[in-house]
Amino acid sequence: MEIIQTIAGLLEAVRRNKPIVHHITNYVTVNDCANIALAVGASPIMADELEEMNDIVSIASALVINIGTLNRRTIESMVAAGKRANERGIPVVLDPVGAGASGLRNAAVERLLSEVKIGVLRGNLSEIRFAAGLESLTKGVDASEADLARNEETAQQVAERAATKLGCIVALTGAIDVISDGKRTLHIHNGVPQLSGVTGTGCMCSTLIGAFCGAKQEGDLLLAAAAGVAAMGIAGELAAEAAEGKGSGSFHIAIIDAVSRMDSELLASRAVIEAAAL
């Protein structure tokens, strides 16, 4: 499949170009995000001080904004970094962790979406529904059972509506991941249930998306997002095999091991991606 071969080639581009991925992320998973960036071949910077946003973004290849542990100080840094990234034409990945859970969090997401041109929005079903202005019932940082049980719209329809409305790539991650720009939509069938039992796998996925987006300045962000999501899903599969019978701690470490050892051939051989019917 041509899409899979292109995505595999993006991994080679990441390792060759070593994109600098600037993160403004949460303190729960900042170490995981830095390590997964290094594992895939990128160079992470974890900086959130407003006074250095202009300098840091000026040397970055991509910006990843994650609102997991939000505060008013970092909101200003996120907006400033996003605007500088837009000026430079580098991709911005937004991970709206827990969108819908609080007034401050909701206002921050709305401000970022209105003041910053987002390249890729990655989140679960509840987070994407909220960001798109659709009715959403959040469950902390996880997709709520109520949203998952809705039958008026499929995950694909939600992703496509959100992408069209927001003018960005939407990576809606779940049991089956949906990547869409509103016109083109991909389904990714990689991953294991254990990924939802370890803190930070969503954040690490956003980091991988940032690395793939930053590998080529004028690349196709839809395919870059798909590459990041597929790589995370495959890493979960490999980690589950390596840590079988050992527990969640071993599984956690095995995810980073799997990404560090992944090459384009492995990615191509294990990726299960299909283009949705128009």
Side-chain angles (χ1 to χ4, degrees), residues 23-203:
H23 294 71
I24 304 177
T25 189
N26 72 80
Y27 53 70
V28 176
T29 64
V30 63
N31 188 61
D32 290 325
C33 292
N35 279 323
I36 207 76
L38 290 168
V40 79
S43 177
I45 296 182
M46 327 308 274
D48 62 15
E49 172 52 50
L50 178 60
E51 289 187 20
E52 64 175 355
M53 286 302 96
N54 186 71
D55 292 338
I56 297 299
V57 179
S58 294
I59 63 172
S61 304
L63 170 66
V64 176
I65 297 174
N66 177 305
I67 69 166
T69 50
L70 197 64
N71 63 68
R72 292 192 180 279
R73 178 185 66 83
T74 54
I75 291 173
E76 298 305 319
S77 297
M78 291 172 181
V79 173
K83 289 181 176 180
R84 178 60 179 144
N86 289 166
E87 290 174 359
R88 292 198 56 232
I90 66 171
V92 179
V93 178
L94 175 60
D95 190 334
V97 180
S102 73
L104 177 66
R105 194 168 295 268
N106 299 350
V109 172
E110 291 168 354
R111 184 179 175 191
L112 285 164
L113 289 173
S114 66
E115 296 187 31
V116 177
K117 172 61 178 175
I118 303 300
V120 180
L121 178 70
R122 190 220 66 85
N124 63 39
L125 180 61
S126 294
E127 293 161 350
I128 298 301
R129 288 187 66 89
F130 176 84
L134 304 173
E135 183 182 356
S136 175
L137 297 171
T138 188
K139 181 190 174 186
V141 299
D142 299 314
S144 71
E145 287 82 358
D147 284 337
L148 292 171
R150 292 176 186 272
N151 55 21
E152 74 272 23
E153 286 185 306
T154 65
Q156 177 178 329
Q157 290 170 324
V158 170
E160 290 173 346
R161 283 186 62 182
T164 299
K165 180 176 181 179
L166 300 173
C168 67
I169 305 301
V170 168
L172 194 164
T173 51
I176 298 174
D177 305 308
V178 182
I179 319 297
S180 181
D181 63 4
K183 296 180 180 179
R184 298 173 296 164
T185 300
L186 301 175
H187 291 173
I188 300 176
H189 297 269
N190 293 104
V192 289
Q194 293 97 310
L195 284 168
S196 63
V198 174
T199 298
T201 54
C203 303

